[in-house]
Amino acid sequence: MGILTRFAPSPTGYLHVGNIRTALFNFLIAKKSGGKFLLRIDDTDLERSKQFYEDEIKRDLEWLGIEWDLFERQSTRIDRYKEVFKTLKLQNKIYPCFETKNELDLKRKKQLNMGKPPIYDRSSLKLSKERLKQLEVEGEKAHWRFLLDSIKIKWDDKIMGKICIDLSSLSDPVFIKEDGQFLYTLASVCDDLDFGITHVIRGSDHLTNTATQIQLINILGGKIPSFGHHSLLIDVSGENLSKRLGSMSIRDLRSSGIEPMALNNLMSTLGSSNSPKLLHSLNEISEYFDISKFGAAPTKFDLKGLNLISSKILKDT
Ligand code: GLU
């Protein structure tokens, strides 16, 4: 079976340079190996997801020449997620919870005050059958959490090297909200397994998600993809770049006249020990690209550097 990678943005805002790094890495890995690249739109949050942003995401990728071979949208897969939810429920791997957001906030505050980590205390897991029935009769809506095992999850990360995460240090993640909305973890694992994703490259902010996802994959009985977590980009002042703040959006870079190949060149080596080279096509870039050369330290993104490469490209043409 060939390599299949994916880029899975939520259509809730414009893409920024950090997102493009993820997209590009996945695209280049597929291209380098003659594999395929999937664009998956993570739009289970119907309220925040907008067709407008999906169109903008596609426009940004097209501008950069990052072409997808396959396309999927999570909102069309809800029935499948419901099936998986049923399977987990039958195995008692998922349990209903009734705390409100305020109650949870309060619990967290108390734990922090006592110098404890703010991990969900599983109160709802201790509710009696009678109480659960009563809550149902009263029409209380549950959100559902995934029951994490008290085990350590280990994997050999394509970028970070050997990783070990103790699941007992994490809160049981919510898989389904009170309103029935499927959250990212279940949906993402379900898709990665069903579509046969072989490599998942994403930001290091997903490291703990990966640990819970590996437990879920083990329960569902799928093949664990190769995981790689790249460092996050920081700006010159050391702040994380955030999509929601719209900083360094691709849209802005495009309208400011930046050459798309400047961004592709910069992103394919920034934060790696591969020395920068000015290459003229994504084919050449994919041949030169080497995921194993990237490091774990936060990577500084400087607009000046990007402008410089862009003017070089313009001069050459
Ligand atoms: N929709 C998720 C995000 O944008 C996808 C993360 C992943 O690649 O699994 O963070």
Side-chain angles (χ1 to χ4, degrees):
M1 196 183 66
I3 283 183
L4 177 59
T5 61
R6 81 326 185 255
F7 174 51
S10 305
T12 53
Y14 294 111
L15 294 182
H16 66 57
V17 281
N19 306 125
I20 283 306
R21 202 160 173 237
T22 310
L24 193 66
F25 284 13
N26 284 290
F27 171 80
L28 293 175
I29 286 175
K31 200 167 184 67
K32 193 179 175 109
S33 62
K36 287 201 161 37
F37 173 67
L38 162 79
L39 172 62
R40 187 184 84 202
I41 298 294
D42 283 4
D43 59 348
T44 54
D45 183 343
L46 295 177
E47 217 166 277
R48 290 183 52 233
S49 297
K50 301 273 178 278
Q51 181 63 45
F52 169 78
Y53 287 122
E54 180 182 319
D55 295 343
E56 288 296 308
I57 288 168
K58 288 178 174 162
R59 196 172 155 198
D60 289 342
L61 294 175
E62 277 162 1
W63 175 67
L64 288 159
I66 300 178
E67 290 169 0
W68 52 97
D69 306 293
L70 304 155
F71 179 81
E72 291 287 346
R73 194 179 281 117
Q74 288 196 321
S75 56
T76 63
R77 302 213 354 112
I78 305 295
D79 286 345
R80 175 71 182 122
Y81 306 150
K82 284 184 181 159
E83 264 174 42
V84 173
F85 169 69
K86 263 195 207 149
T87 311
L88 293 173
K89 206 169 144 192
L90 279 175
Q91 296 184 32
N92 291 323
K93 291 291 180 192
I94 195 161
Y95 61 98
C97 297
F98 297 88
E99 293 88 353
T100 62
K101 193 181 168 303
N102 280 346
E103 281 165 351
L104 289 173
D105 283 347
L106 208 70
K107 275 185 197 215
R108 267 193 293 267
K109 267 188 202 143
K110 273 192 192 157
Q111 286 168 314
L112 287 171
N113 280 343
M114 292 186 330
K116 289 186 180 165
I119 299 170
Y120 175 60
D121 62 5
R122 293 185 166 164
S123 303
S124 284
L125 192 58
K126 294 158 205 146
L127 295 174
S128 66
K129 275 201 178 123
E130 295 69 36
R131 179 72 185 128
L132 285 173
K133 202 86 246 122
Q134 191 188 359
L135 286 163
E136 199 185 317
V137 172
E138 285 167 6
E140 286 291 330
K141 290 263 178 284
H143 57 277
W144 293 77
R145 287 188 190 258
F146 179 48
L147 188 62
L148 292 176
D149 290 334
S150 290
I151 52 167
K152 292 193 170 95
I153 298 279
K154 296 181 184 166
W155 74 93
D156 214 348
D157 195 274
K158 288 251 164 258
I159 299 173
M160 302 262 177
K162 293 214 177 310
I163 300 282
C164 174
I165 293 182
D166 187 352
L167 290 183
S168 54
S169 68
L170 307 177
S171 290
D172 291 337
V174 176
F175 273 12
I176 303 183
K177 295 210 315 194
E178 291 78 9
D179 61 3
Q181 184 199 320
F182 282 91
L183 291 179
Y184 159 75
T185 315
L186 181 145
S188 189
V189 164
C190 193
D191 290 351
D192 288 343
L193 292 180
D194 286 357
F195 303 148
I197 298 295
T198 58
H199 292 66
V200 174
I201 311 297
R202 56 190 175 195
S204 57
D205 49 338
H206 284 289
L207 272 170
T208 52
N209 284 339
T210 297
T212 62
Q213 290 185 356
I214 289 178
Q215 184 192 323
L216 181 55
I217 295 170
N218 285 335
I219 292 171
L220 298 177
K223 188 168 180 328
I224 299 172
S226 285
F227 284 103
H229 295 81
H230 60 72
S231 62
L232 299 185
L233 290 182
I234 49 174
D235 62 21
V236 274
S237 61
E239 300 273 343
N240 273 342
L241 294 175
S242 155
K243 180 168 76 166
R244 282 186 203 147
L245 293 176
S247 57
M248 305 282 181
S249 73
I250 303 307
R251 175 177 177 258
D252 289 348
L253 293 178
R254 189 172 59 228
S255 51
S256 73
I258 290 286
E259 282 294 306
M261 282 309 284
L263 200 55
N264 289 333
N265 270 287
L266 179 68
M267 286 301 162
S268 63
T269 54
L270 190 73
S272 89
S273 56
N274 245 357
S275 42
K277 257 191 194 178
L278 197 50
L279 299 168
H280 297 283
S281 70
L282 280 167
N283 253 336
E284 288 172 78
I285 290 183
S286 73
E287 276 160 31
Y288 186 55
F289 177 77
D290 186 349
I291 192 80
S292 69
K293 299 266 171 77
F294 285 81
T299 306
K300 207 165 260 185
F301 172 80
D302 183 3
L303 200 53
K304 273 193 219 143
L306 181 64
N307 275 314
L308 219 73
I309 304 174
S310 190
S311 9
K312 255 195 202 154
I313 291 179
L314 278 173
K315 242 189 245 155
D316 285 0
T317 47

